[in-house]
Structures are given as C-alpha cells and as structure tokens.
C-alpha cells in the first residue's frame, strides 16, 4: 500500500492482509529514530534520509520471501526511485497506490491521533509524490471508495482474488 500520509494505508492493508491470509507490516516501524524525530519536528526527510530505510525494507521483503511468506506492507513509496529500491527485493513487489484530494487527506490527518507525521508535512509529501507509471506493477485506487471497495479493486486488478475466500462484506 503506497501513498502520502493519511490516505488509509494501514486500514486498507489490514483488511487486505486479512483477506489474503498474509502477514502485514508497517514501513514506519523500519524508520530509525532520527527519521521519526525529524518528521515529528515538521522537517521533511531527504532522499539521503530515506535510502537506508528503503534498503532495510527491501532486505526484509527478501527475507520474508525466502522464508515463504507473502506480505502486505504499508510504505509511502512516493517516488519511482524509492519504488525501484523496493522492487530490488528477491520477491515480486506490487503496489496499490491510494490516491485522493489533498484537502480530504489533510482532514483525515487532523482527525487521527498518536502518529508522528504532522499535517504540516503533507505538502512536502505531495511535492515528492510521483504516481505509478504505466510500466509499474500495481494499481491506482481512489481513497474515497470504501475500504472494502478499495481492497476488492486491488485484489481484482492484481489478480489476487481467491474464490475460496469469503467475499468482502458477505454475511458469515
């Protein structure tokens, strides 16, 4: 799951992972404290700040693949060059780009609590954002859809829909 802060990566990834029976991880957990402190103070990360973080995520993806684990990972992956690092993993890496209007995302960010990313950094994230290119393995999904619609769209577009799994929204 990729996109700027506040698009719903965590919520969507949780439902997607549950639907697929895969493990889930948050890229934020891979940040060194210096990166978190920098962002919490309202200072955007540089490419140099992000590179060791992205490399550690890439290496973790490779480790999980070697162990036979499929994963759903949340990561901003704002630039193609960042996604290129992630694609260097010894696994097939695909992206679900959650996209939507900045005012709605800012409103969502203001309503959440307990996250280190301040709303003041949203403009810098949009400044860095490079949407998925047609040759990248992934799908762009409108965050204004319901979480169930987003997951269904992602599963279908990535050819991960499993007819043996219960359908989203179906009564048990």
């Amino acid at each position: 799951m990729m996109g700027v802060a506040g698009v719903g990566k965590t919520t969507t990834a949780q439902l997607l992972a549950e639907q697929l029976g895969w493990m889930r991880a948050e890229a934020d957990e891979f940040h060194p404290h210096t990166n978190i402190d920098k962002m919490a103070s309202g200072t955007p990360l540089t490419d140099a700040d992000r590179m060791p973080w992205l490399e550690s995520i890439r290496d973790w993806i490779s480790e999980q693949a070697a162990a036979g684990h499929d994963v759903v990972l949340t990561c901003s992956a704002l630039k193609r060059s960042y996604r290129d690092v992630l694609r260097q993993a010894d696994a097939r890496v695909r992206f679900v780009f959650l996209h939507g209007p900045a005012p709605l995302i800012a409103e969502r960010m203001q309503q959440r609590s307990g996250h280190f990313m301040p709303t003041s950094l949203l403009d810098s994230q949009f400044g860095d954002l490079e949407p998925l290119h047609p040759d990248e393995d992934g799908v762009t999904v409108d965050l204004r859809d319901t979480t169930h619609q987003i997951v269904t769209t992602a599963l279908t577009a990535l050819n991960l829909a499993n007819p043996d799994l219960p359908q989203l929204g179906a009564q048990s």
Side-chain angles (χ1 to χ4, degrees), residues 1 9 11 14 20 30 33 37 56-57 59 75 94 100 103 107 129 136 138 142-143 153 159:
M1 306 304 297
K9 294 184 294 285
T11 301
Q14 183 174 349
L20 292 169
F30 292 80
H33 287 291
D37 291 345
S56 69
I57 295 167
D59 295 346
C75 182
R94 299 188 274 180
E107 181 181 315
L129 179 63
E136 290 186 276
D142 191 323
L143 66 84
T153 299
N159 199 27

Side-chain angles (χ1 to χ4, degrees), residues 24-170:
R24 180 180 61 87
E26 298 279 335
D28 286 345
E29 296 169 4
F30 292 80
H31 272 299
H33 287 291
T34 53
N35 282 8
I36 292 171
D37 291 345
K38 193 172 185 177
M39 288 183 284
S41 73
T43 304
L45 297 179
T46 65
D47 287 353
D49 294 326
R50 288 187 178 104
M51 200 50 58
W53 170 67
L54 291 164
E55 290 168 347
S56 69
I57 295 167
R58 175 204 61 207
D59 295 346
W60 181 83
I61 293 169
S62 293
E63 290 169 9
Q64 297 310 308
H69 301 292
D70 292 310
V71 299
V72 176
L73 175 78
T74 65
C75 182
S76 54
L78 298 174
K79 293 181 180 181
R80 182 181 181 125
S81 61
Y82 303 165
R83 296 187 296 272
D84 288 344
V85 171
L86 298 175
R87 275 192 290 272
Q88 292 170 359
D90 292 328
R92 182 175 181 191
V93 177
R94 299 188 274 180
F95 298 93
V96 177
F97 171 37
L98 295 176
H99 178 66
L104 174 61
I105 297 167
E107 181 181 315
R108 286 180 171 194
M109 288 180 73
Q110 291 167 349
Q111 293 175 1
R112 71 183 184 178
S113 62
H115 197 281
F116 61 83
M117 176 68 81
T119 306
S120 62
L121 290 181
L122 188 57
D123 286 341
S124 72
Q125 289 218 321
F126 271 106
D128 284 344
L129 179 63
E130 296 174 3
L132 285 176
H133 295 108
D135 65 328
E136 290 186 276
D137 194 358
V139 59
T140 299
V141 183
D142 191 323
L143 66 84
R144 292 171 289 195
D145 288 340
T146 68
T147 305
H148 285 109
Q149 289 170 318
I150 291 168
V151 169
T152 298
T153 299
L155 288 169
T156 302
L158 299 174
N159 199 27
L160 293 171
N162 183 343
D164 296 331
L165 292 174
Q167 296 300 307
L168 291 172

